[in-house]
Amino acid sequence: MKLMLVCTSGGHFATMQGLRSFWSQHDRVWVTDPKKDTESLNKGEKVHWLPYQAPRDIARLLLNLPATFKLIWDEKPDMIISTGASIAINFGFAAKLLGVRFVYIESISRFEELSLSGRLLYPIANEFYVQWPNLCQKYPKAMFRGYAS
């Protein structure tokens, strides 16, 4: 199975790194923004760099959309997994339009409500994971697979 791992730098990248035991077993390609922490991907991982897309930055979202579709089309992943943040929106909607399975993992910092990205992607994600069990009561499609107890 070929995976496309999509996340922004910082905590979202750290969350994706925490899933290494899963994604390391598969052919994969990364999509992220170039920052100090994500530069580690240059050692042994295939990575596509997109300009940082800040939350609620509609202009950057629109500018990144053509590259989003091109990357999915060229790489032909079986599944796209995203830990957010705003870059997940591009890939979630593009995956839906292109018929690619999309999995979203909500941030552990979201205890009572979903993030904006999470709220936008919840209806269209094939799988939607949260890291706090109480979120499953509000969002019945969500699956708890977090560290919280």
Side-chain angles (χ1 to χ4, degrees), residues 63-137:
L63 289 170
N64 281 345
L65 265 179
T68 299
F69 279 96
K70 183 174 180 355
L71 287 172
I72 295 171
W73 185 262
D74 290 349
E75 292 292 345
K76 296 179 180 28
D78 298 301
M79 181 186 303
I80 298 172
I81 302 173
S82 184
T83 54
S86 59
I87 193 172
I89 297 167
N90 306 37
F91 282 86
F93 282 93
K96 184 74 170 177
L97 290 171
L98 296 173
V100 177
R101 189 165 189 75
F102 181 76
V103 176
Y104 185 76
I105 301 162
E106 183 63 277
S107 170
I108 195 167
S109 68
R110 304 311 298 204
F111 176 78
E112 294 182 5
E113 282 295 329
L114 299 179
S115 62
L116 177 58
S117 299
R119 291 191 308 268
L120 291 170
L121 294 168
Y122 176 78
I124 65 165
N126 297 98
E127 295 177 42
F128 193 96
Y129 294 96
V130 294
Q131 299 187 55
W132 294 94
N134 59 300
L135 286 173
C136 294
Q137 296 167 3

Side-chain angles (χ1 to χ4, degrees), residues 1-5 22-23 26-29 77 79 81:
M1 173 173 19
K2 184 173 184 180
L3 304 176
M4 182 173 275
L5 307 174
F22 170 73
W23 55 253
H26 300 281
D27 184 23
R28 65 197 168 273
V29 59
M79 181 186 303
I81 302 173

